């Protein structure tokens, strides 16, 4: 499903770019009286496409071009749109650098751990088969820890409380009911206690 995820993200970016360009194009035309008053539908459509192209060029390429009526308001609006692009590029750059630094730091710590372990194994003449098993376990545990961390972030930050409760109940109630004490508590009519306990349960990743 990864290609579908990438396509979905690309489609969202294109949609945001199109809507933003449409809004800027409408304002740009409205500020020029000789453009937004056209007698025929074809002429109005031609003006819209021209203004949309202008807005898209400004946002994507930074090319302001020339308006047919360079009034003070038009010039001011062009400066505002150009400034928006600068702010958007700066924000995206800061986000990209932050993500890259975080990933680099995680990878660096993992590589230090891996290299230290390999030096220790070679120093104590550990067999190559055992070294391979250790490396495989490191990668497997790291992948599981990432999945668990992302799931916990999803539960804490991106789900409403009712849906979070439903997910927790489906995940943990069957496991809790394998304990004899929990079965007795449920028989006592304290099912709500088990449901509340599900919200406290979480998965631990242990190297195996």
């Amino acid at each position: 499903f990864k290609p579908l995820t990438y396509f979905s993200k690309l489609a969202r970016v294109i949609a945001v770019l199109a809507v933003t360009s449409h809004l800027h194009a409408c304002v740009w035309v409205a500020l020029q009286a000789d453009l937004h008053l056209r007698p025929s539908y074809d002429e109005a459509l031609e003006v819209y496409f021209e203004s949309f192209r202008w807005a898209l060029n400004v946002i994507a390429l930074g090319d302001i071009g020339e308006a047919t009526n360079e009034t003070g308001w038009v010039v001011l609006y062009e400066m505002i749109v150009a400034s928006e692009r600068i702010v958007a590029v700066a924000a995206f750059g800061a986000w990209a650098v932050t993500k890259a630094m975080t990933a680099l730091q995680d990878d660096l710590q993992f590589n230090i751990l891996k290299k230290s372990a390999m030096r220790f194994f070679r120093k104590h003449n550990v067999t190559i088969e055992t070294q391979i098993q250790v490396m495989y376990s490191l990668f497997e545990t790291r992948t599981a820890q990432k999945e668990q961390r992302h799931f916990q972030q999803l539960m804490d930050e991106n789900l409403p409380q009712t849906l979070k409760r439903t997910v927790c109940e489906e995940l943990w109630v069957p496991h809790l009911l394998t304990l004899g004490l929990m079965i007795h508590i449920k028989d006592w009519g304290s099912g709500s206690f088990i449901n509340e306990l599900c919200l406290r349960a979480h998965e631990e990743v242990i190297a195996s």
Side-chain angles (χ1 to χ4, degrees):
F1 294 97
K2 279 191 174 181
L4 184 59
T5 302
Y6 295 145
F7 177 78
S8 176
K9 291 181 178 179
L10 178 61
R12 287 199 295 267
V13 170
I14 293 175
V16 170
L17 184 60
V19 172
T20 305
S21 299
H22 168 76
L23 296 176
H24 285 314
C26 293
V27 175
W28 190 67
V29 171
L31 292 175
Q32 302 179 72
D34 58 331
L35 287 183
H36 70 267
L37 298 176
R38 292 301 174 96
S40 67
Y41 173 80
D42 292 336
E43 289 181 340
L45 189 61
E46 181 181 352
V47 169
Y48 172 76
F49 282 125
E50 180 64 25
S51 60
F52 185 86
R53 183 190 63 82
W54 171 86
L56 189 60
N57 284 339
V58 174
I59 295 172
L61 305 176
D63 182 15
I64 294 180
E66 295 183 359
T68 59
N69 185 9
E70 288 285 354
T71 62
W73 288 110
V74 173
V75 174
L76 177 61
Y77 185 68
E78 290 175 348
M79 294 173 60
I80 292 174
V81 177
S83 300
E84 287 179 1
R85 181 176 184 272
I86 295 174
V87 172
V89 170
F92 177 78
W95 173 82
V97 170
T98 302
K99 293 287 287 186
M101 292 297 293
T102 302
L104 183 62
Q105 184 178 6
D106 291 342
D107 291 339
L108 182 61
Q109 292 176 348
F110 181 73
N111 288 332
I112 292 174
L113 175 65
K114 183 175 64 175
K115 290 179 180 179
S116 298
M118 294 302 295
R119 284 197 300 268
F120 182 86
F121 291 152
R122 286 194 293 268
K123 181 179 178 180
H124 293 81
N125 298 321
V126 177
T127 62
I128 188 65
E129 290 82 5
T130 302
Q131 294 183 36
I132 293 175
Q133 290 178 1
V134 170
M135 291 299 104
Y136 177 78
S137 178
L138 281 176
F139 281 106
E140 188 179 47
T141 302
R142 183 170 183 248
T143 301
Q145 288 173 342
K146 278 187 176 181
E147 291 178 354
Q148 197 275 336
R149 186 168 62 251
H150 293 163
F151 172 76
Q152 195 61 44
Q153 182 180 3
L154 170 70
M155 296 290 287
D156 293 339
E157 301 178 8
N158 302 105
L159 291 184
Q161 191 65 24
T162 54
L163 185 55
K164 179 181 178 180
R165 180 184 295 272
T166 300
V167 172
C168 290
E169 289 175 359
E170 293 190 11
L171 283 175
W172 306 120
V173 165
H175 298 287
L176 291 174
L177 291 180
T178 59
L179 304 175
L181 177 60
M182 294 301 167
I183 295 177
H184 286 300
I185 292 175
K186 185 179 180 182
D187 293 339
W188 295 341
S190 299
S192 60
F193 171 78
I194 297 178
N195 294 337
E196 292 297 327
L197 189 62
C198 289
L199 297 176
R200 307 294 180 184
H202 64 276
E203 186 180 51
E204 287 288 343
V205 178
I206 301 176
S208 59

